[in-house]
Amino acid sequence: MDAQTVLKVMQGLPGTEEHEGWAGQPAFKVRKKGFAYMSEDESRLMLKALREEQQALVAESPEVYSPSWEGGRFAWLEIDLAAADADEVQELITEAWRLTAPKFLVAQLES
């Protein structure tokens, strides 16, 4: 998956806005809450995930996924976009958005 495809997926999620992240990288938020950050060179994507999902993906494909920050019930998953399956990344982006978006926006996506 490439950065342009990631941007198209983000644009399809209700309420998603692109901002400049703390290090100048693209940051994606819904209602001012971050759920995805792309590296400055657009080769890696960091997504919000549940701890269990992060651990399972890292164990299954350590060449694609690596763990990042953890706190509370959430953990962040770092993805090597060149090595990742595009369909799986799209699902992970949507799930990260669902973990962050309010219920009324999630309902818009599901209708």
Side-chain angles (χ1 to χ4, degrees):
M1 179 175 259
D2 63 16
Q4 291 304 99
T5 305
V6 169
L7 291 174
K8 287 179 185 174
V9 172
M10 297 294 182
Q11 291 166 352
L13 297 170
T16 298
E17 297 178 347
E18 184 176 348
H19 296 269
E20 186 174 309
W22 53 271
Q25 81 279 32
F28 300 93
K29 299 181 179 188
V30 61
R31 305 281 290 201
K32 298 183 181 179
K33 294 180 182 178
F35 68 93
Y37 298 87
M38 195 176 303
S39 62
E40 286 185 79
D41 66 1
E42 300 182 339
S43 67
R44 302 186 70 74
L45 182 66
M46 193 167 63
L47 292 175
K48 187 182 215 178
L50 295 175
R51 283 176 177 250
E52 300 80 22
E53 186 169 31
Q54 179 213 51
Q55 292 166 354
L57 287 166
V58 170
E60 181 181 303
S61 301
E63 68 284 355
V64 178
Y65 303 105
S66 57
S68 189
W69 182 84
E70 294 181 16
R73 66 179 218 204
F74 299 113
W76 288 80
L77 182 67
E78 194 165 336
I79 304 168
D80 179 350
L81 290 173
D85 176 75
D87 291 335
E88 187 168 40
V89 173
Q90 184 171 347
E91 289 176 27
L92 292 169
I93 290 169
T94 302
E95 183 58 27
W97 176 85
R98 283 180 196 276
L99 292 171
T100 310
K103 291 178 184 177
F104 79 92
L105 287 178
V106 173
Q108 286 180 22
L109 185 66
E110 293 172 351
S111 60

